[in-house]
Every structure is written in structure tokens, then in C-alpha cells.
Amino acid sequence: MPQPLLHDLYVRGTRRQTAQQDFVSSLRAYVLNDMANTMKSRFENKIEPGLRKSGKDAPQNGVDVHRAMKPDNYFKFYSSMRYCAQEMVWRTIGRVLNENSTDFDAKLSAVADEEDTAAGSLTLDHSLELPKNVSAIDVHLAPGGYHTAAGADGCGAGALYDQGLNIFSFGMMGANLDDIGHSMANYIRVKFPDFKPADILDLGCTIGHNTCAWAQVYPDADVTGIDVAAPCLRYAHARAVSQGTPVHFRQMNATSLDFADNSFDVVFSSMFLHELPLKDIKACLAEAYRVLKPGGLMLHMELPPNDEMEPYDSFYLDWDAYYNNEPFYKKFRDQNVSDLCTEAGFSTDRLLSFITPQYTYMSDADYVSAVSEEQAFDETTGRLAEGVQWFGFGAWK
């Protein structure tokens, strides 16, 4: 269930609006857990045995499973429910923000009063040309995408993303939607205690929820988050100021970074690469290599690659590529991430890949114990479900 976010820009809305948010969030949880489990049971107990009975080969990959599932009425029902629930997320939050705009503007003004004493900054580039994968796609079915400056304040898309993600994730991404950032940063802190990054860069940071997590785990570091979407950056800056977390936000394309060579100790991204065409993914990784200092770390939290997953689990995770307006999603998951890193310039003996449990859902001591042993890919990796684990990959320069 969604909970009030831990910053001053959160707009809860009326009791009726709260009930609507709770319903949509519960509906998504039901679809992605109960209905998903039923669908998998149908595949294992009816559809796959039916293929064998008719003399056909068992599915070898996610595409084969998808082809076998498409005629199934339950899969059609599941997909319709999931698609509609996704649209309901945006409609519900759009209504809350529109009907409580005075409240939101007051919160934004109060945060703005704190900017003079804030250690972070916001730098926009009004000449930056938006890439078509942003401007031409309502990714995640979000109306207008995340680049449109809805609202007089010019950061409405950021507020929509933040509060929409709170409903979307039904309590599975941390109390402040920053569990991914905390899980990745704390994994590095625990596994590499002598590594003390001074300069950290977050690519495609949207509203900075995971950027702030790095700043909190490494408070002595200078942390920068970049994105092409100005509305998200305006909101990200205000969000960080409201939390007292110093982060510098800059409008910039990750395929062409306006930073000198050897500038950062960490170049990070979370759920970003799969939103890019393959040529842009390669450009981002090459740029990450360029701006990293010797001994620095490139780290990406992403969806697990298809070559590491069982056929059914690949099919399940690839649903978004077909039905959630994410055209580059599957192409990324079909890549070998080690090959992507070495093509960008990293050495094969410097590659890093791991799976981590969710840091913010356990004590630090329990987390340290959990990551002392290597975790394996399973059906919960990258999936919003009970026991979800996050996948990280990258390399040291």
C-alpha cells in the first residue's frame, strides 16, 4: 500500500482520493502477485503440457512462452487488468495533483525558501535537444511522458512520476522510493569498505530518489544527477532540498556528457538503460568509461538479462516491452551485459555483477549477513513481488 513519502512535496489528497490511491495500488499488487501466480500455474499445468501432448517442443526462451501464452484467455485477462491498472495510476495521481494544486504550490514555495541555504544546485540547459526516445513516447503509458512541463511551476511531470511510482510500486520500493539506490550503494559500501568515492554521477536520475540515496550513504561525496527532462530535474532539486540532501542536478544527455575525462569515482544508473535504443546504451557506457577516474566504478541497476533467466521468467519480465510502451526494453534484456561493458573499454577481469536483497527492508546487520553469500538469479529478481531482489552490473576502470 502507498504511504506518505518522506519529503515535504508529498500531496496526500482528500480521504476519497486516498481511498482511490489505495484501491489502485492494491489492484496492481493483486495483478502482479495473485494473478501472476495463477498465470504461471496455468502455463506449467496446462499450456506447456498441452504443447508436449501435441508433439511440439517445450518453449526454449521467453519469446516461445509468449507465443504459447497469447491465445490463453487468462493471459489476455491478466494483460488487460495490468494495462488498465497502469493507466489508473496516472489518472488517479493526475486528479490528486490537479485538485490540490494550491496545496502543492504552497509546499513548493516553502521548499523554495530553503534553497538559499541548500548545498545542492539546479542547472538547466534550455538549448538541449530532447532525444526521440523521450519526446516521442509516452513511456510507461504516462500521459505526455516525463518531459512536459505541466503546471505553472514547471515540474508537474516530476510530481506525477514521484507520486505515481508510490502507487505503482505498492510499497515495494522503499518508504521514500529509494530502496534501489540504497541497496546498490550499500552493497558497494559493504563489499568494498576501502572504496571512498568523492565524486558520484547518476545518469537518467529523473526525480533524484536514488541519487539522494547515494548522497546519504556517502555523505562526504559530491553527488550529481543528470537527466534530459527539465520538469523532473526541477522537482528533483526541490525534493532533495526538502530532505536536506545536497545533490547537484544538471540537464544533460547521458550519451554526450559535459564533463572532463576522469571526473568521477562512481557512474551509476537505475532502471535507465532499458529505456534507450541500443546505440544510445553503448554511447552511455562509453561516456561512463571516459569520465570515470582510474579505479572508479561504473554500476547499473537493471532488469536481469534474458540469458540468465528461465524461459517463463524471461517472458514475464518482457511483458512491458509489448504492452507498456517500452519499445527498447527487450532489446536491452537480450544483450550480454559483460560484452556491453568490454565494448565500452572495460577489462574482462574488472567486471562486476551481483544480486542484492532490499537494503531498506532489513537491519544493516542483516543486510551485511545476507550479502556475505552470492545470491542467484530467480523469479523474484527485478520483479515487484514478495522477496524481490535487485540486479546490478558494471565494471571497475
Side-chain angles (χ1 to χ4, degrees), residues 86-252:
Q86 181 83 354
E87 291 191 315
M88 290 168 70
V89 167
W90 305 122
R91 285 201 300 269
T92 302
I93 288 303
R95 187 179 303 118
V96 170
L97 293 174
N98 287 333
E99 296 180 7
N100 297 277
S101 59
T102 301
D103 181 26
F104 178 69
D105 290 345
K107 291 176 180 291
L108 200 62
S109 296
V111 170
D113 291 340
E114 303 173 24
E115 288 196 44
D116 290 341
T117 58
S121 63
L122 172 66
T123 305
L124 299 181
D125 179 1
H126 301 294
S127 67
L128 182 70
E129 182 179 354
L130 289 176
K132 286 189 176 180
N133 62 292
V134 173
S135 63
I137 301 171
D138 286 355
V139 68
H140 306 146
L141 307 180
Y146 303 129
H147 63 286
T148 52
D153 50 72
C155 64
L160 184 74
Y161 181 94
D162 195 17
Q163 303 204 178
L165 183 59
N166 194 29
I167 295 180
F168 171 91
S169 59
F170 48 89
M172 298 296 295
M173 296 186 76
N176 212 25
L177 306 178
D178 55 3
D179 181 77
I180 288 174
H182 275 290
S183 297
M184 293 289 118
N186 278 289
Y187 182 91
I188 299 304
R189 175 184 64 85
V190 170
K191 301 293 281 189
F192 305 97
D194 294 332
F195 181 56
K196 307 292 184 183
D199 298 283
I200 298 172
L201 175 64
D202 184 6
L203 308 176
C205 67
T206 56
I207 58 167
H209 45 322
N210 292 312
T211 324
C212 287
W214 280 87
Q216 290 157 8
V217 175
Y218 292 103
D220 294 330
D222 194 58
V223 180
T224 300
I226 69 160
D227 203 282
V228 298
C232 286
L233 291 172
R234 291 189 189 100
Y235 185 86
H237 174 58
R239 193 184 196 273
V241 169
S242 77
Q243 296 177 81
T245 303
V247 174
H248 302 290
F249 292 100
R250 293 184 61 179
Q251 188 176 14
M252 194 182 299

Side-chain angles (χ1 to χ4, degrees), residues 9-38:
L9 298 181
Y10 180 72
V11 179
R12 183 64 168 168
T14 65
R15 293 176 67 179
R16 178 183 179 86
Q17 290 165 345
T18 299
Q20 291 171 338
Q21 293 176 65
D22 290 346
F23 170 78
V24 175
S25 188
S26 296
L27 176 62
R28 271 192 50 81
Y30 176 75
V31 172
L32 270 70
N33 285 275
D34 299 73
M35 289 188 70
N37 291 337
T38 299

